[in-house]
Amino acid sequence: MAQKGSGSTPHGRSGNGHDDDGGAPRHPGSRRESPEVYRRRRLVAALAAGVLLVLVAVGLVSAVAGMLGPEETGDAPAPDEATASAAAASQEPFADFTPRPDESAPASESATEGPVEECGAELAVRASTDRESYAEDVQPVLVLTLENTGEDPCRVNAGTSRMVYEVTSGSDTVFDSRHCQAGSEDAEVTLEPGQEESARLTWNRARTAEGCTEAGGEAQPGYYRLVTSLGERTADPAPFVLE
C-alpha cells in the first residue's frame, strides 16, 4: 500500500507555492538595484541639469549683447583727453579773431598825440555854491568850475595864482580870496572836449580887506553874490543867502 507523502511537489515547492526556503516568490526577469547605483544616476541627472542652465544663461547674455550693439573699444578718448579736445574745438572758431577797433578811440588818441593848444574862447568859467541858502552855523562852499566847450583838447593854467573868489553884497566887497592868500602857484591842466574841473573854497563868513586886515567881523545875514574868475575870464554871478 503506498504511503502518502508530506505534500511536496516534484520541483521542491510546497503546496502553497513558496520555495522550500520560505522566501517570496521570484518572478522571471526581475532584478533589484543597489542604493549605490541609484545615487550615481541622480548625480548624473543633476550635472546634466546644471550644464543646461549654464548654456541657457550664455545664450541670454549673447542675445542681450546683440541687441545693444557691438562694443566700441579703443575709439573713445579718455575723459581728460575728451575735455581738452572739446575745449580746443570750442576755441578754434575764434583762434584767428581780431577785435574790431573802437572807432571813437583813434579820434581821441590822435587828438592828444600832437601839441595841445592853449584854451581860448571855448573855455567856460562858472561860479556856484553847494547850497542856495545857509543857516547861521553853516559855512558856504564856493565853487569855481572850468569846462572845455570846444571839440579839441586845450590846456590852461588853473593854478591858485590865477583863481579869484569874490563875495559881494550890492557894491560892498565882503570877501576876496586875494586879500589873505598866503601863497599861490601855477598848475597847467589839459581839458578834453566836454571835460569839467572844479575847485572849492570854504568861506568862514569873515569879512576881509586889502592886506588881510580886520574889516568888521562876520558877514551879516542877507543876500550875496559869488563871482569867480580865472585870469581874464570872469563867471556870471551866483546868488546865495546867509540866514
Side-chain angles (χ1 to χ4, degrees):
M1 190 171 178
Q3 296 180 350
K4 292 181 180 181
S6 58
S8 61
T9 62
H11 297 287
R13 291 179 181 269
S14 60
N16 56 8
H18 291 274
D19 291 339
D20 293 341
D21 55 2
R26 296 177 180 177
H27 300 285
S30 63
R31 185 179 182 181
R32 189 175 183 178
E33 296 178 351
S34 65
E36 184 178 356
V37 173
Y38 181 74
R39 285 194 298 268
R40 281 200 297 267
R41 287 184 176 181
R42 292 190 63 180
L43 180 60
V44 170
L47 290 176
V51 172
L52 180 61
L53 290 176
V54 171
L55 293 176
V56 171
V58 172
L60 290 174
V61 171
S62 300
V64 172
M67 292 173 62
L68 297 177
E71 182 180 1
E72 296 180 2
T73 57
D75 295 335
D80 293 342
E81 295 177 357
T83 302
S85 300
S90 64
Q91 294 177 359
E92 283 180 1
F94 303 99
D96 299 329
F97 175 73
T98 301
R100 187 176 182 179
D102 187 358
E103 296 179 357
S104 61
S108 177
E109 293 175 359
S110 61
T112 56
E113 285 178 358
V116 179
E117 297 184 358
E118 188 175 354
C119 295
E122 67 275 9
L123 180 64
V125 180
R126 294 195 301 270
S128 62
T129 56
D130 62 337
R131 297 184 186 181
E132 294 182 356
S133 180
Y134 297 89
E136 184 177 358
D137 58 345
V138 178
Q139 296 181 349
V141 176
L142 315 179
V143 183
L144 184 155
T145 301
L146 304 177
E147 181 185 4
N148 179 6
T149 62
E151 298 180 354
D152 299 315
C154 65
R155 57 184 176 82
V156 60
N157 182 0
T160 55
S161 60
R162 306 183 70 218
M163 289 183 180
V164 176
Y165 299 83
E166 185 178 5
V167 177
T168 62
S169 179
S171 60
D172 182 18
T173 298
V174 180
F175 170 79
D176 191 321
S177 60
R178 294 169 293 186
H179 288 168
C180 299
Q181 188 171 351
S184 62
E185 60 182 7
D186 295 332
E188 189 169 276
V189 177
T190 298
L191 299 175
E192 297 295 330
Q195 182 179 354
E196 294 184 358
E197 291 291 341
S198 297
R200 299 170 179 268
L201 174 67
T202 300
W203 177 38
N204 61 2
R205 292 181 177 235
R207 294 178 62 92
T208 62
E210 189 71 33
C212 201
T213 59
E214 294 184 3
E218 291 187 356
Q220 299 299 312
Y223 292 90
Y224 294 84
R225 296 189 307 170
L226 169 65
V227 177
T228 60
S229 59
L230 183 72
E232 302 297 327
R233 295 179 176 83
T234 302
D236 295 332
F240 64 96
V241 177
L242 295 182
E243 298 178 356

